[in-house]
Amino acid sequence: MKRHFHLGFATLLTLLVSLPCWAARVGDPAPGFQAKDTLGKVHTLSEYKGRYVVLEWHNRYCPYTHKHYASGNMQSLQKEWTARGVVWFTVISSAPGLQGNVTAADENAYVKQVGASPTAVLLDPSGQLGHLYGARTTPDMYIINPAGILIYEGAIDNKPTTDIADILTATNYVSKALEEAMAGRPVSVPVTRPYGCSVKYAD
Amino acid sequence: MAFDLMGGSHSRRSALLLFTALTTMAHAAPASAPSHLRVTLLSEYKALAPARVSWIGLRFEIESGWHIYWKDPGDSGEPPSVQWELPAGLRAGAIRWPAPERIPDHTLIDYGYEGGVLLMVPIRTPPESAAREPIKIAATVKYLVCRDVCVPGTAHVALSLPFSRRESLQPSGSRALFIQTRSRWPKPAPRSWKINALGAGDRFVLTLCTGASERHAVFFPDDPSVIKNAAPQPAVPLANGVRVTLQKSDLLVKPLPRLEGVVVLGSKGAFVISAPIHSEIKRGG
């Protein structure tokens, strides 16, 4: 009974935040959020004002996510950009029982095993954060600038495949947008179609 | 238990079949070798005729509940891709995609195929003198097959075909499948139809005047970033056609000149359309 009530409540919350007109749009202030990471720390978007924030939607069992981790591509991006002051949140919105839903301990072991170095991994099993930003696929990438404005949303790069070899010849939209923004230029490609697996939200 | 494993030859065969089935199932289990589909290379005729176009096809037989993708995969996934290995002188054309279906994938909609599909490809053959030996056509097919989860796969397929005179070409056992598949290809929209699209706020209103009232219409865009793929497409029958309302994609950053794609009209089948988009506000004139 209690469990059913809980699921129903989570679904209701999900529905409330999934209204399309509420989804984040490039050029608008990024919607504020509060989320717990895999170490139990709560992060609030507003506490990172003054810094760039990257959101990376993640599901380690999705072949597209796998492409960017098995190749080491995602880990290098995390390493490079966090070293340059960027806050990088890996976000897991898989609902309980669905692919990619993992415990905090399991995720911490995975991060260590693959050598990932995000600022933190945020757990979003209710899908609330995912729906707030309108995240559709894994990966799906968002960049928020130091003023709190969403400046990029979409694909990680321009090669929508599961083929690791494609990473070498791909244009990485996240790096390009961060480079441009940090140089004081407008982001030349601010919105792209994200590619990957569907985010495993509770239906 | 009435099942006698040591009984007559019939029972032994049953037991063997059961064992084979169980081991086959074990091999097909996700943990060991997940494929969820089978790809074979078929030819419409038993031979190739020289100096003309012959049709071959990649047949996908897909496990129940799983799907592969149309040329525009919709919100997630990707279409199969093919790398051909052909002898000198043969050329493979592009895949002809049958009309897809809307397939729900969590909160998204994918465009693709369930059950099975034949992706036909034209092969242009050289003059007869070029080849006396059977011709080997091979391909590496990369695909993504999804249910609630996705699995990428690679299949190597091959087919050997002799050359034969055009007059003596024999249909292969798959000929019926080729004919049936052609009927699922989107046809060019008849010139007599009037098709237009209106850009209105966050919607496109697509009107097709076909000359007869249509009850059902589903639009599949060529480009995945044009409409909200997951939004319902309410269709209103008109006296001489149908009107479909589509939600604009959030990914549209500049006005779109044309709505291009495939419309599937109930029993009439699928049609290729390219409709100019008019703006809702027209002043003067």
Side-chain angles (χ1 to χ4, degrees), chain B residues 102-203:
Chain B
R102 280 168 69 87
I103 302 169
D105 180 354
H106 292 85
T107 54
L108 310 180
I109 287 283
D110 294 342
Y111 302 142
Y113 309 101
E114 291 178 309
V117 67
L118 181 69
L119 299 181
M120 287 169 58
V121 170
I123 296 280
R124 186 166 285 282
T125 47
E128 191 164 16
S129 56
R132 304 184 106 173
E133 301 283 303
I135 290 283
K136 190 186 175 200
I137 298 173
T140 301
V141 184
K142 288 188 179 175
Y143 60 83
L144 186 77
V145 60
C146 300
R147 187 178 58 186
D148 50 341
V149 299
C150 295
V151 180
T154 303
H156 301 282
V157 291
L159 185 65
S160 273
L161 292 166
F163 269 101
S164 140
R165 285 180 185 284
R166 196 172 183 164
E167 312 81 74
S168 47
L169 273 184
Q170 297 287 318
S172 75
S174 313
R175 166 100 163 116
L177 184 60
F178 281 77
I179 294 171
Q180 187 201 333
T181 300
R182 278 193 185 90
S183 71
R184 288 182 58 200
W185 286 354
K187 299 176 272 289
R191 285 179 175 279
S192 61
W193 290 12
K194 280 176 79 175
I195 305 170
N196 70 68
L198 184 72
D202 58 358
R203 290 164 300 158

Side-chain angles (χ1 to χ4, degrees), chain A residues 20 25 63-64 98-99 131 136-137 160-163 191-194 196-201 203, chain B residues 73-78 105-108 142 144 148-152 224-225 228 250-253:
Chain A
R25 300 298 305 272
Y64 294 91
L98 298 183
Q99 188 192 52
H131 286 300
R136 298 202 306 214
T137 58
T161 69
T162 57
D163 198 342
V191 181
T192 61
R193 172 191 178 255
C197 309
S198 56
V199 174
K200 310 307 179 196
Y201 293 118
D203 285 328
Chain B
D75 282 328
S76 70
E78 69 183 275
D105 180 354
H106 292 85
T107 54
L108 310 180
K142 288 188 179 175
L144 186 77
D148 50 341
V149 299
C150 295
V151 180
S225 313
K228 277 185 182 153
D250 292 340
L251 303 174
L252 275 183
V253 284

Side-chain angles (χ1 to χ4, degrees), chain B residues 5-6 26 37 43 51 54 57 63 68 74 77 89 104 113 130 132 135 150 153 183 188 197 245 258 260 272:
Chain B
L5 285 182
M6 303 307 287
L37 59 73
S43 172
S54 302
E63 192 180 316
I68 61 164
Y113 309 101
R132 304 184 106 173
I135 290 283
C150 295
S183 71
T245 302
R258 306 184 78 86
E260 298 182 312
V272 177

Side-chain angles (χ1 to χ4, degrees), chain A residues 52 179-186:
Chain A
Y52 285 93
E179 291 285 3
E180 288 170 345
M182 285 182 181
R185 297 198 303 271

